[in-house]
């Protein structure tokens, strides 16, 4: 899309005018760098899906700080800007003003290839189009996206993965999430019920953790790995 000033102005104007939920990625995020007031005045719910470099430009902080303070930064930024922030990395983080921070327990290094982020954006947008609340769509979409990446890594190996391999595994990932939800797996039950605990649900008043196992095939190197969804006050 590019970063021409007229393009940046258009993106900011659309964010302010459009009243339905929007999912913003890539140069759309870069066009909003340093535009906190525009984001706070957004016409509708926003979901932003930056990788660490884009997040650094968006928030005006060094990339090293994004990596070092990622959980607190995602939580604070989501609350301050009034939006859902999906920080794509080895363990994707999702920050939302109402529910704190969720850590996605699926995904692998093979997903660090061009186009996989577009699949995530499409998954989140598709869930929103079905009527799912944006913050819930972000968590569910990121979980399914990571699981599809794990299935693709089993099939072709993480070193050889392309975005198309991940995309082909999305239907199977959705099927497994539904099956695990029916069996009572706590990591996927949350997706089936489209809900996460609110910060006040943590009895200690500190960050709380819900644990489960990741739904992987028995032959996967990640099979049975513990999965966590973290929420913070």
């Amino acid at each position: 899309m590019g970063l021409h000033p007229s393009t940046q102005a258009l993106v900011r104007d659309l964010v302010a005018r459009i009243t339905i939920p929007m999912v913003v990625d890539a140069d759309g995020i870069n066009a909003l760098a340093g535009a906190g007031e525009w984001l706070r005045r957004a016409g509708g719910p926003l979901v932003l899906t930056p990788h660490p470099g884009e997040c650094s430009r968006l928030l005006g902080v060094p990339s090293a700080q994004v990596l070092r303070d990622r959980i607190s930064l995602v939580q604070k930024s989501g609350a301050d800007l009034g939006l859902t922030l999906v920080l794509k990395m080895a363990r994707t983080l999702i920050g939302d003003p109402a529910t704190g921070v969720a850590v996605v327990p699926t995904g692998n290094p093979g997903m660090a290839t061009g186009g996989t982020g577009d699949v995530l954006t499409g998954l989140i947008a598709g869930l929103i189009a079905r009527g799912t609340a944006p913050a819930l769509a972000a968590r569910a979409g990121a979980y399914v996206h990571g699981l599809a990446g794990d299935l693709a890594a089993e099939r072709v190996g993480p070193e050889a993965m392309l975005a198309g391999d991940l995309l082909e595994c999305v239907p199977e990932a959705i099927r497994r999430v539904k099956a695990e939800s029916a069996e009572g797996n706590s990591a996927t039950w949350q997706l089936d019920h489209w809900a996460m605990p609110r910060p006040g649900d943590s009895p200690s008043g500190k960050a709380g953790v819900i644990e489960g196992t990741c739904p992987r095939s028995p032959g996967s190197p990640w099979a049975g790995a513990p999965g966590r969804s973290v929420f913070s006050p």
Side-chain angles (χ1 to χ4, degrees):
M1 187 168 67
L3 295 176
H4 190 278
S6 63
T7 303
Q8 291 180 306
L10 173 62
V11 171
R12 296 181 184 194
D13 186 57
L14 290 173
V15 164
R17 290 175 178 268
I18 293 178
T19 58
I20 61 175
M22 293 180 64
V23 184
V24 185
D25 189 28
D27 273 348
I29 295 173
N30 291 327
L32 295 168
E37 289 306 313
W38 286 86
L39 292 170
R40 293 184 189 95
R41 298 200 309 266
L46 288 179
V47 178
L48 272 57
T49 59
H51 57 58
E54 291 165 342
C55 190
S56 170
R57 291 188 287 274
L58 176 71
L59 303 178
V61 300
S63 295
Q65 183 180 346
V66 173
L67 297 175
R68 184 183 66 246
D69 304 326
R70 52 193 178 275
I71 291 181
S72 60
L73 194 66
V74 166
Q75 181 183 21
K76 182 179 183 298
S77 301
D80 178 52
L81 299 173
L83 50 76
T84 300
L85 188 64
V86 181
L87 179 59
K88 299 178 294 192
M89 51 191 308
R91 280 290 176 260
T92 292
L93 304 176
I94 301 148
D96 175 71
T99 54
V101 178
V103 181
V104 179
T106 56
N108 63 85
M111 295 167 64
T113 185
T116 56
D118 299 321
V119 178
L120 174 60
T121 300
L123 280 168
I124 296 172
L127 287 166
I128 292 174
R130 292 182 60 186
T132 305
L136 300 176
R139 289 193 291 272
Y143 189 99
V144 169
H145 180 256
L147 179 55
D150 290 342
L151 295 173
E154 293 175 27
R155 179 184 296 178
V156 301
E159 299 84 0
M161 275 178 59
L162 298 174
D165 300 314
L166 187 154
L167 182 61
E168 290 178 359
C169 292
V170 167
E172 173 62 13
I174 293 173
R175 187 196 67 78
R176 293 197 184 197
V177 166
K178 289 182 176 180
E180 291 282 336
S181 299
E183 293 170 6
N185 187 324
S186 65
T188 54
W189 178 91
Q190 297 165 51
L191 302 183
D192 191 47
H193 291 72
W194 309 110
M196 283 280 288
R198 294 182 179 274
D201 292 340
S202 175
S204 65
K206 300 180 180 180
V209 177
I210 294 178
E211 300 191 9
T213 55
C214 300
R216 312 284 197 333
S217 65
S220 167
W222 302 282
R228 293 188 170 192
S229 293
V230 179
F231 58 98
S232 308

